[in-house]
Amino acid sequence: LVALVLGPLVDRVGARRMMGLGILLIGLHAFTLAATQEFWSNTLFVKAMVSIWIMMIPISMVFALSLAMSICSPGESATQFAIYMSVSNMGSASGSAIFGAVSGFTSWPQGYAVMGLMGFLLLFAILMFRSHGHPEKMLQGSPVKHGD
């Protein structure tokens, strides 16, 4: 429900800004988990933190797909959308595998700190991203033609 409500907000504020905000919140959540190990024995705290985490997953996907669709060309948008969906699912599986490998060498708080750091590195990458619109619009006025 929250992800559906955020759709129009993404249109108003912009996909890149909302993606940055989502990644910032995920990173802060991971760092909060890393810093609050003494509260992990509190069932209510753990349920709240897990609920927030589970809610952020589809929200972050709405932001990521909005950003991905902003660089899709209309002619190939269905194919590009399918590729983005596949890549995002591969990223989730890869992230789980990496976290599983890292957790063998770190404590739980350190693992969450690593996750938060990775979130902030992703945030930096999103902030560096510059979309110039659809390829067809970029080629307008250019001497290069589609068939060349």
Side-chain angles (χ1 to χ4, degrees):
L1 181 62
V2 174
L4 289 173
V5 170
L6 288 174
L9 185 62
V10 171
D11 289 338
R12 241 177 274 129
V13 175
R16 187 169 152 258
R17 283 187 181 150
M18 292 302 290
M19 182 69 182
L21 175 65
I23 292 170
L24 176 67
L25 293 175
I26 289 170
L28 289 174
H29 187 268
F31 279 126
T32 300
L33 280 170
T36 57
Q37 184 178 11
E38 64 273 6
F39 297 116
W40 292 5
S41 59
N42 182 334
T43 306
L44 183 61
F45 176 79
V46 172
K47 286 181 179 179
M49 294 303 274
V50 169
S51 297
I52 292 168
W53 185 261
I54 290 170
M55 193 170 45
M56 284 194 291
I57 294 169
I59 291 170
S60 66
M61 289 303 298
V62 167
F63 297 155
L65 292 175
S66 296
L67 185 62
M69 291 304 291
S70 73
I71 59 174
C72 286
S73 61
E76 297 100 14
S77 61
T79 302
Q80 286 177 300
F81 183 77
I83 291 169
Y84 292 142
M85 290 296 293
S86 299
V87 169
S88 69
N89 289 327
M90 287 177 16
S92 295
S94 300
S96 296
I98 291 168
F99 189 72
V102 169
S103 68
F105 301 104
T106 63
S107 66
W108 281 100
Q110 290 170 338
Y112 283 116
V114 167
M115 200 175 345
L117 178 64
M118 291 175 70
F120 284 120
L121 291 174
L122 181 58
L123 178 61
F124 178 73
I126 292 295
L127 292 174
M128 300 303 293
F129 174 77
R130 300 283 184 252
S131 175
H132 299 288
H134 297 297
E136 286 85 3
K137 291 180 184 175
M138 292 185 333
L139 289 174
Q140 288 177 353
S142 170
V144 178
K145 304 266 189 265
H146 282 283
D148 294 342

